[in-house]
Every structure is written in structure tokens, then in C-alpha cells.
Amino acid sequence: MDISTVLGCIFGCVLGGVVFAAYKLGILYQLIHKTETKSPRHGGESVAEVLRAHGVKFLFTLVGGHISPILVACEKLGIRIVDTRHEATAVFAADAVARLSGTIGVAAVTAGPGLTNTVTAVKNAQMAESPLLLIGGAAATLLQGRGALQDIDQMSLFKPLCKFCASVRTVREIVPVVRKAIAIAQSGTPGPVFVEFPIDTLYPYHLVEKEFGVKNPPKGLMGKIVTWYLHNHLKNLFAGAWEPRDVSPLPVHIPQATDAQVQQCVELVSRAKKPVILLGSQATLPPTPVDEIRKALESLGIPCFLGGMARGMLGRDSPLHIRQNRRDALKEADLVLLAGTVCDFRLSYGRVLNRRSKIIAVNRDKTQLLKNSDMFWRPTVAIQGDAGSFLLRLSKGLTGHRCPVDWPQGLKDGDITKENANREKAAEKTERHLNPLNVLHHVDALMAEDSIIVADGGDFVGSAAYIMRPRGPLRWLDPGAFGTLGVGGGFALGAKLCRPESEVWIIYGDGSLGYSVAEFDTFTRHKTPVIALVGNDACWSQISREQVPILGSNVACGLAFTDYHFVADGYGGKGYLIRREDEDRLDDIICKAQQESREGRATLLNVLIGKTNFREGSISV
């Protein structure tokens, strides 16, 4: 190789390195795109524009300086800012909005501890398959990893929890990154996404320039290099920031069953004599309206067990909705349709399914679709697709066909027998205080037809799931598979904002109430008058019921018959104490609470309850 060839290679390498460095430093981009140094605009405005274009009506937050530009810009564009007393509540509220509205739920919190406070709520949204956008503040781009206030590696924290994570590095990236994040959150199996905004991508140029400026730069060549680097970084940060960009929603991908799969299922169902449908929360996801799913189920005439957000899908007293004796029904069924229902602990990992049954499983998520199928059960047909639209297509393919009427009628008769037994148990006197089942029956009877029920607790809420009847679809909110305590305040806040005309009830255990009782301040300030029913037995009873007989100790399970009604009063709401001597006035007090709610005051019913053996033997682990 001659010297000219060697010099040419060296020159090419050097030139390539220079071009690459110029690209990485944004120098090439700055040659084409202008940096508007006099513009008063800031990155928060870009965030707000994208959110408004995606139909976002509420942004839940706990304020922090890192994210103030986003909050101010959203308010100016008509997005309601709802500030809570804990960051987890903000995420829970956004989760509830996502479930009830069919759009993305959005929460914004400050950097560091603001974000770490959301971890449980984000994980709950992941497991509940809620499309959620978490916006987080962060230290400035050049200060990350250098000891800035509240600076931690946030991306590593949220990558296992979210479908998509991104850290915005320049103002021009804001619009495309947020659009992409929202589309990913809603596509496939919905879930949370996280976008981190370093503080220098959100504030105006002149303020960021003031922070970047070097007051006493070192002299000599190194000083000039440092000064140039900071100036170039600032210009690149804002280069092309305010050029027009498309803020409209990107396409959302939703997996669907094939025509062949639907036809195969039509044939299986048409031959079944004792079919059963198990409907999970996933069946309520967009794009299929829940009312259309209800009509499809009624057309099929197949008895249904409803779980999660699907509770209430068939209304209050449908002859097809079977609430009791699920295990016995599954043993007898010759076909089981798992529509968004997963074979996890809630179905004893699939062991409750009859191995002789034909099993159709439909789920957007492949892992959930086949959960434990290698051990305790095996699907006849496994479809990775949307459960709601599948039910519509199945119903259409079975037009004119009805399930044999004696099958759902027999299950309904068993239902009635079991519920009559529950009513008899509700009539029993407990050793002290009120029978919790009797309290729940009274509330269920008086609850408004448009009520939304939020479930947050263990033993008392477990009983409520057997007694209380949601009046319609999307009128029951529980944490889902993660079993998270503390969802009550946030879920109720989001529900009341989405459905201001509806009566919103939180069913609390006295243990779970402690997580979000401070949100009565939020209910008061934001005029969201919910009603909280607290089953106060001075105990973590879900745990104590097993811990005491098995291990012989009630350690850490005892609480006190605390005056929670005073706490509600202190936060601007209205509290009522209900004791055994108030039993004859129970209906009157419930009606007073409903009237208080209609007049705009959040209300708490602190009901002192005793112990029963209802649900004895149900597991808490």
C-alpha cells in the first residue's frame, strides 16, 4: 500500500470522525434549523398541545418545580389540573380515568422521590393493563449523574414497569416522543409508559441560558472549549424547537382473532350443552363499546361469571349473570370461554377447569393467554386477540343459536340458594358491633342506579364483592391482579371526574383507609363529593383470620376503633359514626350521606363492625 492510500484512509477516518462528532453535538442540525433565542415559549407548551390533541381532559399531579411548565401550559389549554396529596394517588386517579373513559390517563410528578412514590401505582396499572402516561421531571441534561437535586437513574427504575420509556434530550423531541408513547400505551396489551423531561427541556431559553452561563470560565484553551461546549449544547437543546409538528394521535394497533379462529369457536360453542363464559377486565377495553358486548352476551344466552371491570356488564339482575358456586359450575361445564380471564391465582392456576371441557382462551397478551397451560390446563383454541370484538363476532356467527335454557336456569337457582343463605348470615347478631354483611346489604339496596363502586381493602371488601351488585358495565373498580391496597382515593377521584353525575362509593377496610384518607382534602378542594364506607373492625382481618389459628398470634394485625369520621370532618368533608345502637337508623344515615354528596360534600361512614365466619378459609396469599 503506497503512502497516498494510507494518507487517504487516515483523512477519511478523520473526516468521518469529525462528521460523526458534529452530528452528535447537533452542529449539523443547527446548520439547517434555527434556534430562536428570543422566544418566550417553553417545552411545557409542546407537551400540553399533544395531550389536548389526544383528548386528555385531566392531568393528575403533585406539584414540583421540575414539571411546573407542563402544569401551567395544560391549564391554559383547558386541561384540568387535579393535584393530590400523594403521587401514588395521582397515578391511581389517572388509571381510573383510563379505565372509564377509554382514553389515555395522564399523571405528572416531580423528579426523584416524586417518581419513586409512584412505583406501586405504576406496577398496578401494568398488571391491570391500563393505558397510562407517567410524566416525570428530571435533572438538567448536563447535570444528570453529577449530584443534582433529586437526581437518580429513573429510566432503570421504570423500564421493568412500562411498555415504553424515553428521556427527552432536546425540546424538538417532545412532540414525537409523547405521541409515540401514547400510541404504545394503547396498542396491543395496554399498559403504562414513562417519559422523563429534564428540567432544561421544559423552561424558556432565557432562563436555561442563565443557568448554563459560566460566570468565571477558566482561562486558556480549556476555558474556551468549556464555554463553547456549553453554548453549543444550549443552542442544540432549542434548535428547531418551535417548528410546526403534527400533534395528532398515531394509529393504535389492536390484535384481532382471524376469521378461521372465530369460525372454529362458533362450531365448538354450537355443539356445547353446558357452556360458561368467564369475562375479565380486558373485555371492557376499547374499541368495542361495552353496551355492544352486553348485547352480544345476551344474544348468546350463555351463563357468565364476571370479574374485575367486567362486573356489572349484564346489569344488576340478569338471568345470565352467575355470582356464586363458580367452582362447581366449571366442573360441570363442557365448554369454557376465557374472555380476557387469566389462569392465575384467581382460577387456582387453571386447576378449577375440567380437563374434559373444551376451552377457548382469548387474550391480547400471549403470556397471559397461556399462563400455566403447561401445567394444569390446556386450551382447545388459544387466540391472541381482543376479547370484546371477538365476542361480537362470535355472537354474529351464532345468530339464531341459544344455549339450552335449563343450564343457565339451573346455575341461577343455585345462585339464589346461596344468596338467600348469605342473607340469613347477614341477619345474625355478631358478638359486638354491627354485622358487616347486613351493612353491605343495606348500602347495596339504597345505592343509586348510576353508582360506581371502588373496592379498596381486604376482608370487608372481599365480602362486598359477594353482596354488592354493580348496576351496569364499567361501574366496578378494583386494583386487579396485583391486589394493591391504597387505590381507593385515587380511583374514586378519577371516577367522579369522569362521571360527575354518578354516585361514587369507596368500600374501604379500616386498614386500607389509612393509605388515602388524606385525599378527603383533595375531594373537598376539587369538588368531587364521593362517599366512603369504612368497615371498621380494628384489625387487618384478612391476615388475622389465618395468622391467629395457624401461628397462634395476632401480632401486627391489631388496629383501633379510630374516629375516622373526625378526620373526614377535618378535611372539609362530613363524617358519620355508625354503631350497633344506630342499627335501626342505618338506612336514614346512608340516605343522609347520599344527600350530603349531592350537595357537594365528600362523606365518610365509619361503621363499627364485628366478626363473622363468612368467607372462612379464603386465602390472603
Side-chain angles (χ1 to χ4, degrees), residues 95-393:
D95 185 338
V97 167
R99 299 188 196 196
L100 293 176
S101 69
T103 59
I104 190 85
V106 184
V109 300
T110 199
L115 277 162
T116 59
N117 276 346
T118 70
V119 167
T120 296
V122 173
K123 182 63 183 181
N124 194 81
Q126 181 193 47
M127 294 187 68
E129 299 174 350
S130 295
L132 176 80
L133 170 61
L134 176 64
I135 292 171
T141 51
L142 285 180
L143 296 179
Q144 291 181 358
R146 297 178 181 274
L149 175 67
Q150 298 180 331
D151 180 32
I152 60 171
D153 182 1
Q154 298 171 164
M155 299 299 288
S156 295
L157 189 64
F158 285 97
K159 280 179 180 176
L161 307 177
C162 296
K163 294 181 68 181
F164 172 80
C165 291
S167 180
V168 170
R169 310 316 291 175
T170 62
V171 180
R172 61 182 175 270
E173 294 176 22
I174 292 175
V175 169
V177 167
V178 176
R179 288 177 76 211
K180 180 180 179 180
I182 293 174
I184 290 174
Q186 296 174 299
S187 292
T189 305
V193 293
F194 171 59
V195 180
E196 173 188 87
F197 290 89
I199 194 168
D200 49 346
T201 65
L202 292 178
Y203 279 83
Y205 183 95
H206 69 278
L207 290 179
V208 179
E209 182 183 35
K210 189 181 296 183
E211 293 300 316
F212 267 79
V214 180
K215 295 180 176 62
N216 298 300
K219 296 180 180 180
L221 179 60
M222 183 54 66
K224 292 180 179 179
I225 292 174
V226 169
T227 301
W228 175 87
Y229 178 80
L230 292 175
H231 180 69
N232 178 74
H233 184 85
L234 176 63
K235 288 193 66 178
N236 183 52
L237 199 63
F238 285 87
W242 315 124
E243 294 173 2
R245 287 181 173 82
D246 185 4
V247 295
S248 63
L250 294 168
V252 173
H253 170 68
I254 299 171
Q256 300 288 349
T258 66
D259 290 340
Q261 288 172 325
V262 173
Q263 183 57 38
Q264 184 182 4
C265 295
V266 165
E267 293 170 5
L268 286 171
V269 174
S270 67
R271 293 195 293 267
K273 302 300 182 187
K274 295 182 177 181
V276 166
I277 296 176
L278 271 60
L279 212 65
S281 295
Q282 204 181 90
T284 66
L285 291 172
T288 308
V290 286
D291 286 334
E292 291 186 20
I293 297 173
R294 176 182 55 79
K295 291 175 184 176
L297 294 172
E298 290 172 346
S299 172
L300 290 167
I302 297 173
C304 300
F305 290 91
L306 309 176
M309 288 292 294
R311 290 176 184 266
M313 179 67 76
L314 293 168
R316 184 176 182 178
D317 295 307
S318 169
L320 297 178
H321 180 199
I322 314 301
R323 292 162 52 86
Q324 314 287 345
N325 306 314
R326 186 178 67 177
R327 184 180 292 267
D328 294 337
L330 291 174
K331 284 180 181 178
E332 200 174 342
D334 60 2
L335 181 140
V336 178
L337 170 53
L338 303 174
T341 299
V342 181
C343 287
D344 55 16
F345 70 94
R346 292 166 292 185
L347 282 180
S348 191
Y349 310 99
R351 287 177 292 191
V352 297
L353 298 175
N354 188 337
R355 287 188 175 270
R356 294 188 298 274
S357 300
K358 303 291 185 184
I359 300 174
I360 299 169
V362 187
N363 199 292
R364 293 194 189 189
D365 187 274
K366 187 175 181 180
T367 302
Q368 300 300 314
L369 173 67
L370 300 174
K371 181 82 75 178
N372 296 310
S373 63
D374 57 337
M375 294 182 66
F376 301 118
W377 70 288
R378 188 171 297 279
T380 309
V381 182
I383 300 170
Q384 186 177 357
D386 175 57
S389 56
F390 170 81
L391 288 169
L392 261 62
R393 294 166 68 189

Side-chain angles (χ1 to χ4, degrees), residues 40-52:
R41 296 191 61 186
H42 57 79
E45 295 171 355
S46 298
V47 178
E49 287 169 3
V50 178
L51 296 183
R52 181 176 64 174

